[in-house]
Amino acid sequence: MPGRTIPRMLTIHHLGRSQSERILWLCEELGIPFTLVRHQRDATTMLSPPALKALHPLGAAPVIEDDGLVLAESAAIVDYLIARHGQGRLRLAPEHPDFAHYLYWFHFANGNLQPVMGRLMMVSRAGLPADHPVQQAVQGRLDRVLALVEVRLGEAEHLAGAEFTAADIMSVFSLSTMRLFQPVDLAPYPNIRAWLQRMGARPAYQRAMAKGDPDLVPMLG
């Protein structure tokens, strides 16, 4: 009698204080078992270690290994895990009235929010004066992005609407942990701060952060 095939457990390669916290959180929300491999940033450069480049040419996290598959890019991994292991949970189906909102805000995280945070970080490190046109342009873009999120979270409890979805998971990093690298004052945005508090109160988020970054106090306000 042939032996039963035992499925290989999903492996998540997590870089401390990075976008890969999204993947840990998603798996905790969906109850997907995983093996965690933690990687630390170089203390001087704050870049990822060579071990991540050995997994993927870009050398960035997150990276997952799943039964022979190696996959990078957090949005792609989220879509993959929801479809392959999550039975479609935490995304909205096309017939759902908030489907378009879900699509927009899911892609907004890496299409607008995270890129402008990254651009501001690089411009700030260049030491440009506050009135420099480039500094003003990037800051102005971030202000418009944050204003849009603030309005949305005044209309709905979650980014996609009434339901918590992967769209929320995608955006929390940029408005919390990313602020360790690029400080942003969220005092003018009470709806964003209230939403971050709601997200931070989720048991799955707390478990994910405790596993991935146990020394970090999440920036949720």
Side-chain angles (χ1 to χ4, degrees), residues 59-78:
V63 176
I64 64 167
E65 296 181 89
D66 188 33
D67 199 18
L69 170 74
V70 176
L71 184 63
E73 292 294 338
S74 59
I77 293 170
V78 168

Side-chain angles (χ1 to χ4, degrees), residues 103-123:
L103 286 179
Y104 178 81
W105 290 105
F106 181 88
H107 292 285
F108 180 88
N110 279 357
N112 277 287
L113 182 55
Q114 184 61 24
V116 75
M117 288 287 287
R119 287 196 294 272
L120 183 61
M121 180 181 70
M122 299 307 295
V123 168

Side-chain angles (χ1 to χ4, degrees), residues 32-54:
I32 301 172
F34 60 90
T35 296
L36 174 62
V37 179
R38 294 176 62 200
H39 300 265
Q40 298 300 322
R41 296 177 180 273
D42 182 278
T44 302
T45 67
M46 296 301 291
L47 298 177
S48 58
L52 278 173
K53 192 167 185 179

Side-chain angles (χ1 to χ4, degrees), residues 8-209:
R8 294 173 59 183
M9 183 175 289
L10 171 74
T11 297
I12 302 174
H13 292 271
H14 169 64
L15 177 64
R17 307 186 179 200
S18 80
Q19 296 181 53
S20 53
E21 72 181 42
R22 295 165 168 165
I23 310 308
L24 302 182
W25 183 12
L26 177 72
C27 287
E28 291 291 339
E29 291 281 357
L30 294 175
I32 301 172
F34 60 90
T35 296
L36 174 62
V37 179
R38 294 176 62 200
H39 300 265
Q40 298 300 322
R41 296 177 180 273
D42 182 278
T44 302
T45 67
M46 296 301 291
L47 298 177
S48 58
L52 278 173
K53 192 167 185 179
L55 287 167
H56 188 275
L58 293 182
V63 176
I64 64 167
E65 296 181 89
D66 188 33
D67 199 18
L69 170 74
V70 176
L71 184 63
E73 292 294 338
S74 59
I77 293 170
V78 168
D79 267 339
Y80 171 85
L81 291 175
I82 288 174
R84 188 70 180 268
H85 297 291
Q87 295 78 50
R89 290 172 292 156
L90 295 187
R91 71 180 178 193
L92 301 182
E95 61 271 17
H96 194 287
D98 288 327
F99 174 63
H101 287 301
Y102 169 76
L103 286 179
Y104 178 81
W105 290 105
F106 181 88
H107 292 285
F108 180 88
N110 279 357
N112 277 287
L113 182 55
Q114 184 61 24
V116 75
M117 288 287 287
R119 287 196 294 272
L120 183 61
M121 180 181 70
M122 299 307 295
V123 168
S124 297
R125 290 181 178 179
L128 299 178
D131 61 352
H132 191 283
V134 173
Q135 179 76 35
Q136 289 186 329
V138 175
Q139 183 63 57
R141 176 68 176 181
L142 177 62
D143 293 344
R144 292 192 296 275
V145 164
L146 293 178
L148 185 61
V149 179
E150 176 72 6
V151 169
R152 177 57 180 165
L153 291 172
E155 300 169 339
E157 185 175 0
H158 300 96
L159 288 172
E163 297 181 38
F164 171 78
T165 68
D168 298 295
I169 290 175
M170 287 295 296
S171 283
V172 165
F173 167 81
S174 302
L175 294 168
S176 58
T177 306
M178 182 62 188
R179 288 160 55 209
L180 295 170
F181 303 95
Q182 175 53 53
V184 172
D185 181 12
L186 293 182
Y189 306 102
N191 294 331
I192 292 177
R193 289 186 284 110
W195 170 76
L196 284 174
Q197 287 291 313
R198 293 196 298 273
M199 298 301 99
R202 296 185 68 87
Y205 176 83
Q206 295 174 2
R207 291 194 302 271
M209 297 304 291

